Amino acid sequence: MFAKPPDMFDRDDEWAALSRFAADDRPGATLGVVSGRRRQGKTFLLDALCKADGGFFFEATEATGTESLRQIGSQLGNYTRASMPPRPADWREVLDALLALGEERPVTVAIDEFPYLAKANPELPSVIQTAFGPRREERLRSRTRLLLCGSAMSFMGRLLSGTAPLRGRAGLEMIVPTLDYHLAAQFWRIDDPHLAVLLYSIVGGTPAYRDGIAGGRGPRFVADLDHWVAENVLSRFSPLFREARYLLAEEPDIRDNAVYHSVFSAVAEGNGTRGGIAGYLERKATDISHHLSVLEDAGLLARDVDVFRPGRSVYRISEPLIAFYHAIMRPEWSRLERRGQAGQVWRDSAHRFTTAVVGPRFEQICRDWMQGYAPPEINGIPVSQVGSGLVNDPEQKKSHQIDVAAFGNDADGRRVLLAIGEAKWAETIGMGHLARLRRIRDLLVRAGHPGADTAGLLLFGSTEPSPLLRAPVADGDVQLIGLNDLYA
C-alpha cells in the first residue's frame, strides 16, 4: 500500500482500492477503469499514484490519431530514458511497450482522458482487448497495471458493458463521486450548518469549484453569501457562470443541447415524472426516453423509484450547480449578461432559491443523512434502503408525499418499514407536521405494509421547532433532527 498524499482530501477508499490494484504482485498484466465527472480529482488521484509507484502517467489531448501516437511515444521515451524516443506505428506497438514496462515488477500505467484517444482511434478498445488476451504471452509475463480514465461518463460506462470489447477484461472499475453534503462542508471549511446547506445547494461537492474556480475561498458566514454568489457564480466574468452549460457540452452523446436543457428546466420547475417532463416539452413520453437515459448515464440526472409504488419514479437533478443554473440563472440569463445586474437578480430570486433549489436539496440531504450518517439501526434492524414516495389517502382523495422513508430486513429477510419523515427548510416544524406523519403511518398500517405499526416518525427542520413538540418528543412518539444533527 502506498502512503496517501497529505494534500489529498478524503478519497481514502478510492486511494486504498487503487493502491491494492497497483501493488498486486501476481503475474499477468491487469486492467482497470476509472471514471467520474470532470473536476472531481481523478487526475490528481492517478498522477499521485503513478508518482508513489514510479509509474507512467499519460494525459491524452484532443488530437489526431497520428499526433497522439507521437505524444505517447515521446513520453515513453522520456520515462524509459531512451536515447531516441520511440515512434510507434500503431496502438498495438504502444500496448506492447506498456506491457513491457511491467516485466520486472508491478508498474502502474495510467492513461487519462481515454475518450479523446478512442474518439480518434475507434479501434483502440479492441486493440486493448487483444493485448490483454487471457493466454497472450506478453500479458502473462507482464505485471503492468493499466488504468484507463475518463470524464465522459456515458462513454466510460459502455467500456465494460454488454458486448463491449473490454467486457470481462477489467480487474477494477471505479467511479470517483462528488463529495457528499457532509464532506463538502469540511472541504470548504464551513462550520455553520445553515451556510453549509445553502452553499451545497449552489455548488454541490465538486472539489475544483473551491480551489480551481472560486479562488480557494468561500463565504465565511451566511451574511457573506449574497456577495459571494454575486461575485463567484452570477458574475459574467466568473468561470462558474457558464459551468453548467459546459458540464452538458462535455458529454459526447449529447448533441441537441437545447432539448437536454429543456429537460433540466422541466425537472427544476417541479415536473419530475416522465409524463410531466414530456408535457413540459410538449412531446410524447417515448420521444424523451433516449434523452433521459443519456442524462442518467452521464450522472447528471437521477431516477428515484417510489418506495411505495415501484412502478412510479421521479427524476431529480443530481448536480446542484445544474439545478441552480436552471432555477435561478437560465430564466434571467439576459439580465445576468448585462453590467451590474448580478446582485439585483440574486435579490429578486430569493424566494425561488429557497423553494425551488434549497428545499428539494435539503430533502435529499436528509435522505443522505439517513443512509450514511444516522445511527445504523432502528428498532434493532439495520437500515438498508432510504427513499421517498407517495401514499394514497382514499378518504381525503389525495396522495401524501413522504420525504424520507427508511427500510430494513427483519430476521426472516422480510422488507419492513422502519421510519418515515418529513423535511422542511425555512419553515417551523410543528404539531401539524406531526399529525400529518401520524395520518400517513395509519394509512400504511391499513394498507398492510410490514413494520408500519412500529415505524418511527422523524421531523427534519432548519429552524427552531415549535415548543408544542416537546411533549411528543419526550414520549418517544417523534424524533426531531436539526441542522446540527445532520452535520454532527
Side-chain angles (χ1 to χ4, degrees):
M1 298 294 288
F2 305 107
K4 194 181 85 166
D7 57 341
M8 182 179 291
F9 177 81
D10 192 56
R11 305 303 191 199
D12 295 336
D13 293 343
E14 289 83 0
W15 182 259
L18 288 170
S19 294
R20 287 193 298 270
F21 176 82
D24 188 350
D25 198 40
R26 290 177 295 176
T30 51
L31 175 69
V33 174
V34 178
S35 60
R37 293 219 316 273
R38 199 172 297 278
R39 301 186 178 93
Q40 303 309 319
K42 303 183 302 299
T43 299
F44 183 33
L45 266 170
L46 297 184
D47 186 47
L49 182 68
C50 287
K51 283 185 170 70
D53 183 39
F56 175 69
F57 180 84
F58 175 71
E59 185 171 3
T61 59
E62 288 190 274
T64 64
T66 301
E67 186 181 3
S68 296
L69 284 171
R70 188 181 302 122
Q71 289 173 349
I72 196 168
S74 174
Q75 292 192 30
L76 270 170
N78 292 336
Y79 177 78
T80 59
R81 298 181 181 178
S83 56
M84 290 285 291
R87 297 291 298 269
D90 54 34
W91 283 98
R92 290 173 180 80
E93 287 189 17
V94 172
L95 265 296
D96 284 343
L98 296 178
L99 291 177
L101 297 179
E103 290 185 352
E104 295 182 3
R105 67 174 182 90
V107 171
T108 302
V109 173
I111 297 180
D112 198 11
E113 299 298 354
F114 179 73
Y116 288 156
L117 296 181
K119 182 180 179 181
N121 308 272
E123 77 284 357
L124 189 50
S126 295
V127 172
I128 297 174
Q129 176 196 31
T130 301
F132 278 76
R135 304 187 64 182
R136 189 168 184 258
E137 174 112 11
E138 290 85 350
R139 187 197 76 82
L140 292 174
R141 67 168 179 258
S142 170
R143 282 178 289 173
T144 290
R145 309 304 176 211
L146 177 61
L147 291 164
L148 307 178
C149 180
S151 302
M153 294 291 288
S154 54
F155 173 86
M156 297 300 293
R158 289 195 303 269
L159 272 182
L160 305 177
S161 65
T163 58
L166 295 181
R167 179 169 174 78
R169 291 287 194 265
L172 173 75
E173 184 177 8
M174 175 184 294
I175 297 177
V176 179
T178 59
L179 301 175
D180 68 21
Y181 79 95
H182 207 283
L183 291 171
Q186 296 176 32
F187 185 73
W188 283 85
R189 305 183 189 98
I190 293 177
D191 298 324
D192 179 355
H194 189 271
L195 175 60
V197 172
L198 295 175
L199 186 62
Y200 183 74
S201 299
I202 300 169
V203 296
T206 297
Y209 291 166
R210 187 196 75 179
D211 293 336
I213 294 180
R217 59 185 180 84
R220 295 292 90 197
F221 308 99
V222 172
D224 300 334
L225 184 67
D226 292 349
H227 176 74
W228 187 90
V229 171
E231 289 292 316
N232 292 279
V233 185
L234 300 182
S235 168
R236 67 189 194 277
F237 303 118
S238 167
L240 278 175
F241 185 64
R242 293 177 178 82
E243 176 68 8
R245 292 185 173 188
Y246 297 154
L247 288 175
L248 203 61
E250 286 169 351
E251 283 295 326
D253 288 350
I254 295 177
R255 296 178 178 86
D256 186 357
N257 281 10
V259 176
Y260 289 96
H261 278 296
S262 294
V263 170
F264 282 135
S265 291
V267 178
E269 291 282 346
N271 303 287
T273 64
R274 184 185 294 264
I277 297 170
Y280 183 91
L281 272 63
E282 297 185 357
R283 297 190 176 196
K284 296 178 181 178
T286 53
D287 294 342
I288 62 169
S289 295
H290 172 72
H291 302 85
L292 295 175
S293 296
V294 168
L295 291 175
E296 275 192 86
D297 292 342
L300 301 176
L301 205 64
R303 184 172 66 91
D304 296 331
V305 177
D306 190 314
V307 293
F308 298 107
R309 302 178 182 180
R312 178 183 179 271
S313 59
V314 177
Y315 290 90
R316 60 179 171 83
I317 301 173
S318 50
E319 170 51 52
L321 184 64
I322 291 181
F324 179 83
Y325 168 79
H326 281 275
I328 305 299
M329 299 176 68
R330 192 166 181 251
E332 299 283 2
W333 193 255
S334 60
R335 287 178 65 194
L336 288 171
E337 288 191 312
R338 291 184 221 145
R339 181 178 178 182
Q341 291 291 303
Q344 187 59 51
V345 167
W346 180 237
R347 287 189 290 274
D348 294 345
S349 304
H351 177 72
R352 186 169 178 79
F353 175 62
T354 298
T355 57
V357 178
V358 187
R361 190 61 55 185
F362 180 63
E363 293 173 7
Q364 185 59 44
I365 285 174
C366 294
R367 288 189 287 270
D368 291 343
W369 175 83
M370 197 79 216
Q371 188 78 69
Y373 294 98
E377 293 186 357
I378 299 176
N379 298 330
I381 299 177
V383 175
S384 61
Q385 180 194 6
V386 177
S388 59
L390 289 177
V391 174
N392 235 3
D393 191 337
E395 295 174 15
Q396 298 183 6
K397 296 181 180 180
K398 66 178 183 179
S399 294
H400 298 282
Q401 174 70 37
I402 297 182
D403 299 327
V404 181
F407 295 84
N409 296 316
D410 63 13
D412 298 325
R414 185 181 57 160
R415 179 175 178 264
V416 295
L417 181 65
L418 301 178
I420 56 174
E422 182 155 351
K424 293 297 179 186
W425 178 263
E427 181 179 329
T428 300
I429 295 288
M431 292 299 293
H433 299 97
L434 177 57
R436 181 174 176 274
L437 280 184
R438 286 170 172 165
R439 170 72 178 170
I440 294 172
R441 182 169 60 183
D442 288 343
L443 290 169
L444 292 170
V445 171
R446 290 184 217 168
H449 283 275
D453 54 335
T454 58
L457 304 181
L458 311 173
L459 289 173
F460 299 84
S462 64
T463 61
E464 191 68 24
S466 167
L468 297 176
L469 286 172
R470 290 172 186 164
V473 170
D475 292 340
D477 190 35
V478 66
Q479 181 183 355
L480 298 179
I481 297 101
L483 291 178
N484 289 329
D485 301 306
L486 295 175
Y487 282 89

